[in-house]
Amino acid sequence: MEILDDILKFSLIDVIDVILVALLLYYVYKLVKGTVAINIFIGIVIIYIIWKVTQALQMQMLSNILGGFISVGMFALIVVFQQEIRKFLLMIGSTNFASRRKFFSQLKFLKMEENATTNIDAIIAACNKMSASKTGALIVLERNNNLDFLANTGDEMNIKVTQPIIESIFFKNSPLHDGAIIIQDNIVKATRVILPVNNEKNIPQRFGLRHRAAVGVTERTDAVAIAVSEETGQISCFRDGEFVPFSDTSELAEVLKKDLV
């Protein structure tokens, strides 16, 4: 009967509370999904559930041990999840929801003008051309996180994405070829952008600063980065600080289209 009474007392505020907690857990899971941190996250959830069960069963000794572990372990979690916490705070602080079609598309009752879809086929075609000529390139595709704080380090642009435009930007004698470009909604918003560089030693030594910069920006934001090696002509894609596997550029195009939906 007590359970029934609790259900009857369930108010609108309780419903909102549950929804907000569910959204929070969803975004935390989305941030750590596909990374090593996902195993730690699952382990923490399991320990927390066991702790609550021991509390409900009044198992005082085990409950106190787990409770102490969780309270002290919060400081360790800040260190372990440093990159994820930074990305989560950046997502909250810098995401421009009003200009993102993706966010409003999830709310069926809201209508807004459709933004231009990024021309992935033109980007891939340009990468194939640059790969054949071993022209180095670094392309950052903006998603939810606003990258204005990075765009400010380069030259502001407002150019529609086309294959010739991308090839001309990274042409070896072009004054704009050095650094990365940032693309948002089919517009090149900045060139010669300076990206944060990953200094970890787990990146193969054959990759230079261009690839380390691609790892660095995708670790700190939810952007996707494409790098074309100047030495080998190899095309690489990065998301969440990790390599995105693909068999050919046609598969890469499909992956990018799904990421930018």
Side-chain angles (χ1 to χ4, degrees):
M1 293 299 295
E2 292 182 0
I3 298 177
L4 183 60
D5 291 338
D6 290 338
I7 294 175
L8 293 175
K9 293 178 182 178
F10 210 68
S11 64
L12 178 61
I13 298 298
D14 296 321
V15 174
I16 295 174
D17 187 25
V18 170
I19 292 174
L20 290 176
V21 170
L23 284 174
L24 178 62
L25 291 175
Y26 168 74
Y27 279 108
V28 170
Y29 174 76
K30 189 176 179 181
L31 283 174
V32 300
K33 182 181 179 182
T35 67
V36 177
I38 184 62
N39 297 324
I40 303 174
F41 176 74
I42 294 174
I44 292 170
V45 171
I46 292 174
I47 291 175
Y48 182 80
I49 292 173
I50 295 174
W51 176 46
K52 285 301 181 182
V53 170
T54 56
Q55 279 186 326
L57 297 176
Q58 297 183 349
M59 301 170 65
Q60 294 299 327
M61 184 176 294
L62 186 56
S63 177
N64 290 336
I65 292 174
L66 292 175
F69 173 80
I70 289 175
S71 60
V72 175
M74 290 303 296
F75 296 100
L77 290 179
I78 294 175
V79 177
V80 173
F81 288 101
Q82 180 182 0
Q83 295 291 346
E84 285 72 21
I85 292 172
R86 179 188 298 173
K87 191 182 294 186
F88 181 71
L89 294 177
L90 182 62
M91 181 181 68
I92 294 175
S94 66
T95 299
N96 184 3
F97 288 110
S99 66
R100 297 304 295 173
R101 170 175 52 85
K102 180 180 178 181
F103 174 75
F104 286 101
S105 67
Q106 296 174 0
L107 305 178
K108 301 301 183 181
F109 56 89
L110 292 178
K111 302 292 183 181
M112 69 174 297
E113 184 179 354
E114 291 292 318
N115 292 328
T117 303
T118 302
N119 191 345
I120 297 298
D121 293 331
I123 295 173
I124 295 299
C127 288
N128 283 328
K129 271 287 196 68
M130 293 185 291
S131 173
S133 61
K134 293 186 178 180
T135 301
L138 182 52
I139 302 170
V140 179
L141 303 176
E142 183 175 316
R143 298 171 69 196
N144 289 321
N145 295 158
N146 190 301
L147 301 183
D148 286 347
F149 71 102
L150 291 175
N152 291 335
T153 66
D155 298 328
E156 183 179 352
M157 295 286 170
N158 187 20
I159 312 172
K160 184 178 179 181
V161 172
T162 63
Q163 179 181 344
I165 285 293
I166 295 176
E167 290 179 31
S168 64
I169 289 174
F170 290 110
F171 180 64
K172 294 179 181 179
N173 294 327
S174 167
L176 303 178
H177 81 282
D178 195 20
I181 67 171
I182 296 178
I183 295 176
Q184 177 192 22
D185 295 330
N186 209 41
I187 296 294
V188 179
K189 65 186 294 184
T191 59
R192 296 206 306 171
V193 175
I194 300 173
L195 300 180
V197 178
N198 177 284
N199 294 317
E200 297 294 331
K201 295 183 179 180
N202 56 357
I203 299 178
Q205 292 185 352
R206 67 179 182 276
F207 294 123
L209 288 176
R210 185 176 288 111
H211 294 80
R212 289 185 178 274
V215 173
V217 70
T218 56
E219 277 182 339
R220 291 164 174 79
T221 72
D222 70 343
V224 178
I226 305 171
V228 181
S229 173
E230 191 172 358
E231 288 74 25
T232 65
Q234 181 180 358
I235 300 173
S236 303
C237 183
F238 302 85
R239 186 206 306 121
D240 298 326
E242 302 287 343
F243 284 94
V244 177
F246 59 91
S247 57
D248 52 38
T249 52
S250 297
E251 183 180 346
L252 175 59
E254 294 302 318
V255 170
L256 293 175
K257 289 174 182 178
K258 290 179 181 178
D259 285 339
L260 296 178
V261 169

